[in-house]
Amino acid sequence: MVVVSESVSVRSLTVRYGNTVALHDVSASFEPGTVTALVGHNGSGKSTVLQSLAGIVEPASGAVDIRHRRISYVPQRSDVNDRMAVTVGEVVAMGTWPRRGILGRASAADRRAVDEAIDRLKLTDLRSRRLAELSGGQRQRALLAQALVEHGDLVLLDEPTTGLDAEAREIINSVVDDEAARGAVVVMATHDADDADRADVTITLGRGEILSSTRRDRRFVGGGAHDGRLASGQ
């Protein structure tokens, strides 16, 4: 069980890629035990928020407060070289590397975590298959299984169900719910309206700014594209 009492947050975050502003003055808070969906058109800044939280991109200004949490980041499938000559079991086992290092020996607990993740993502029959031989949904499940093994208390998912069949979507959504239920902070970028509706909080981005933010039970902030931040104390 993850025990996290404080939220993860970004404050007045601005990110630039060359002369392009990807995020402008964005502030948001992500609570333990909840799923936050980031929605918006391509180029709205969804993936940049995730990559900022993951420490992949450096902000031009502002701050990211993650309090030294363990981070599990699952990128879009298009960002992964699925032609790597590795099996599903090897991909999932990579989730133990942050604990033991690439050359360290896997412990019994590591091996058990890999087995459990493969079982949860319904990959047992595919364990010896190479990543290149899998369907899109199967590859995405393998990447999510790797994240489960990492056992992060900040779980970042970039378009986890986009283009997948109903079975894969159901499996992934169940795991997402379980991760929040154990107390993790879960943040996912999605184009899928059903995924957004299932989330506890939905943040809509446009042109790198926050357009609106809603909880499942009530709307708690209004304002236009130039507001750029969530209400405090949400």
Side-chain angles (χ1 to χ4, degrees), residues 81-154:
N81 181 1
D82 58 14
R83 296 296 176 183
M84 293 187 299
V86 291
T87 65
V88 169
E90 290 167 339
V91 168
V92 178
M94 290 176 187
T96 66
W97 288 1
R99 293 192 291 274
R100 65 182 176 88
I102 296 176
L103 301 179
R105 185 170 182 174
S107 66
D110 288 333
R111 292 190 293 272
R112 185 164 57 251
V114 171
D115 291 342
E116 290 173 353
I118 286 174
D119 181 65
R120 283 179 68 187
L121 272 300
K122 312 297 183 186
L123 294 166
T124 302
D125 293 341
L126 301 172
R127 185 168 187 153
S128 299
R129 296 271 296 275
R130 292 193 174 188
L131 204 64
E133 299 171 347
L134 304 184
S135 69
Q138 291 167 341
R139 289 197 299 273
Q140 191 71 355
R141 282 153 52 195
L143 295 173
L144 184 53
Q146 181 188 106
L148 292 185
V149 172
E150 292 174 347
H151 203 66
D153 42 21
L154 172 57

